[in-house]
Amino acid sequence: MQIEEIVISELPSESTEEQSSKMQELDATLKQTSRFRFGEYSFKLFDHHFLSIKMDRGFRRTREYQLHIGMLDPEPIRSLRISWKNLAMFTVLAGALGIAGFTNLFSASKASIQILVACAGVFLVLAMYFSHDRLVFYSQNGRLPLVTLFNRNPDRETFDAFISTLSDQILKASANLNYILGNERLNVELREHRRLMEAGIITSKAYNSSRSLILDKHR
């Protein structure tokens, strides 16, 4: 606790938003749409150091925040998840429909077929909703997932170009922080995590977890 208070007091008082609001040079943009999650996600990389993220999730509150990308790990981690349970239920119901159609078991009961079709459709939608293929950028020391993108959305070429630019700029932004040594650099990241927590972007539980990891690295 004392370490955090002492080192943070030595950091610049300007927030990331205050610093980045002065920058105008746009490096790259990406817009992604999630049909099943009813949302639109916009990413703007600017001034070689900052990433603006806007999440417009339909009926849910729009959220927008900015990051100093020098705190990110330049190597994203792929998060591929398939909702096998819902997919299995859809397969079973689809199989039952196939058997019913082949054997005419439900020829006298259209209601039964309609129920099976409806249930199969529900499980298919759930399987697609809960399955995802994403790339996640984590903070270097706190290991928090701070930037999440839908893989190959809107298309592979556009997506790969943006990821390549973002990774290159992260490396350069991180290199520009090399003049900050030891504990001071760790606390640049810690201060950013705390700012994101206060803005409601990450939870207090996530912040405390990242804080423990960062403080463990203090020398």
Side-chain angles (χ1 to χ4, degrees), residues 146-160:
L146 297 181
V147 181
T148 301
L149 304 101
F150 297 104
N151 198 15
R152 301 179 181 179
N153 183 328
D155 58 76
R156 181 170 186 173
E157 183 178 356
T158 301
F159 182 81
D160 288 348

Side-chain angles (χ1 to χ4, degrees), residues 175-187:
N176 287 338
L177 293 178
N178 283 339
Y179 69 91
I180 302 177
L181 302 176
N183 294 346
E184 293 183 29
R185 180 164 182 170
L186 289 172
N187 278 278

Side-chain angles (χ1 to χ4, degrees), residues 118-171:
C119 290
V122 168
F123 281 109
L124 178 60
V125 170
L126 289 175
M128 299 181 74
Y129 181 84
F130 288 108
S131 298
H132 65 249
D133 184 8
R134 302 175 180 175
L135 283 187
V136 183
F137 285 87
Y138 286 77
S139 53
Q140 290 187 23
N141 299 289
R143 303 311 299 169
L144 284 185
L146 297 181
V147 181
T148 301
L149 304 101
F150 297 104
N151 198 15
R152 301 179 181 179
N153 183 328
D155 58 76
R156 181 170 186 173
E157 183 178 356
T158 301
F159 182 81
D160 288 348
F162 180 81
I163 292 298
S164 177
T165 301
L166 177 56
S167 295
D168 288 344
Q169 296 292 9
I170 289 174
L171 286 171

